[in-house]
Amino acid sequence: MTKNNDKDAKYLVNYGCGYGYKKQIFEKEDYFPPSTALFEGLSVSIPPNYDKMLTQIYGDYMQIPNVEDRITHSPIDIKFND
């Protein structure tokens, strides 16, 4: 999604990331230039300040939440017929 295309902007806004789909504001240097990392056997692009970004979005993202605090990203109800 692109709202503005200001290549000289200092900040970038990500709408819909994290729990509750709240707006997150990051400095451009948090995103660029990306580097490459392995994720579940795939080579993916990651932002240089991924730890800062994940912490801002999720808090202590390295800790597994308590069972009662866990939520799915897209809860759906699937019913299978015989």
Side-chain angles (χ1 to χ4, degrees), residues 49-62:
N49 291 331
Y50 67 89
D51 182 70
K52 175 184 172 185
M53 296 173 73
L54 290 171
T55 300
Q56 181 175 322
I57 296 167
Y58 301 108
D60 189 358
Y61 68 93
M62 295 299 288

Side-chain angles (χ1 to χ4, degrees), residues 8-55:
D8 296 323
K10 182 176 178 177
Y11 298 96
L12 301 171
V13 177
N14 186 350
Y15 291 94
C17 66
Y19 297 115
Y21 299 101
K22 59 186 175 182
K23 171 178 67 174
Q24 297 288 332
I25 299 173
F26 298 102
E27 293 184 58
K28 192 173 190 178
E29 64 197 32
D30 293 333
Y31 275 100
F32 301 105
S35 59
T36 304
L38 283 177
F39 178 75
E40 296 189 0
L42 298 172
S43 180
V44 297
S45 292
I46 61 169
N49 291 331
Y50 67 89
D51 182 70
K52 175 184 172 185
M53 296 173 73
L54 290 171
T55 300

